[in-house]
């Protein structure tokens, strides 16, 4: 009975965008950070919960303006108020990249071939870039 419950929990957990995800720079393969995606007030949000990149653990958002200027990237909200659309796709207007200090429109969805991979797409005008994030399995 316990095994069945465990397996059902694992299946349910693996079918959601919520949880912790490892970001890897798609240009150079460097592991960057762990991002936690969570639901608040029915909307998807995400924040940086761990910096992985060597030499960046205490990084500040030096390129940022306003209230983010010179604030720690650790703990920073990078997705805000994404709404769920059909087929588990979430869309929103606030996908923030602290390295570039830029905010994009965004779209987030599970990879249909591997639910332990998350597709994160940022839009700037008619251009877009998609990264693949990797689910963090905690013991």
């Amino acid at each position: 009975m316990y095994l069945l419950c465990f397996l059902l929990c694992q299946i349910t957990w693996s079918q959601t965008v919520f949880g912790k995800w490892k970001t890897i720079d798609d240009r150079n393969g460097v592991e960057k950070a762990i991002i936690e995606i969570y639901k608040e007030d029915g909307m998807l949000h995400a924040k940086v919960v761990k910096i992985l990149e060597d030499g960046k653990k205490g990084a500040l958002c030096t390129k940022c303006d306003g209230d983010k200027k010179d604030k720690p990237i650790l703990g920073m909200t990078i997705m805000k108020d994404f709404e769920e659309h059909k087929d588990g796709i979430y869309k929103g207007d606030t996908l923030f990249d602290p390295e570039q200090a830029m905010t994009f429109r965004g779209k987030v969805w599970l990879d249909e071939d591997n639910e332990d991979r998350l597709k994160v797409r940022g839009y700037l005008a008619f251009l877009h870039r998609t990264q693949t994030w990797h689910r963090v399995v905690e013991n």
Side-chain angles (χ1 to χ4, degrees), residues 120-135:
V120 179
R121 180 172 291 167
Y123 295 91
L124 186 60
F126 60 89
L127 301 173
H128 72 270
R129 179 173 165 208
T130 305
Q131 287 189 337
T132 301
W133 294 2
H134 304 262
R135 187 181 303 277

Side-chain angles (χ1 to χ4, degrees), residues 9-24 33-35 37 109-111 114-119 132-138:
C9 289
Q10 287 295 97
I11 289 168
T12 302
W13 176 253
S14 68
Q15 295 175 344
T16 180
V17 300
F18 298 102
K20 292 183 180 174
W21 298 90
K22 182 188 309 181
T23 66
I24 299 173
I34 302 293
I35 307 298
I37 297 179
W109 70 98
L110 289 176
D111 185 325
N114 184 343
E115 292 181 341
D116 288 331
R117 303 286 182 257
L118 184 73
K119 298 296 185 176
T132 301
W133 294 2
H134 304 262
R135 187 181 303 277
V136 174
V137 179
E138 298 181 297

Side-chain angles (χ1 to χ4, degrees), residues 52-84:
L52 300 174
E53 188 174 4
D54 289 337
K56 303 272 182 153
K57 301 228 187 291
L60 302 177
C61 197
T62 56
K63 294 181 183 178
C64 293
D65 293 325
D67 62 340
K68 287 184 165 94
K69 178 73 174 161
D70 295 325
K71 297 291 191 235
I73 293 173
L74 182 64
M76 188 172 283
T77 298
I78 62 166
M79 283 186 225
K80 187 175 179 184
D81 295 334
F82 275 50
E83 276 188 281
E84 186 173 10

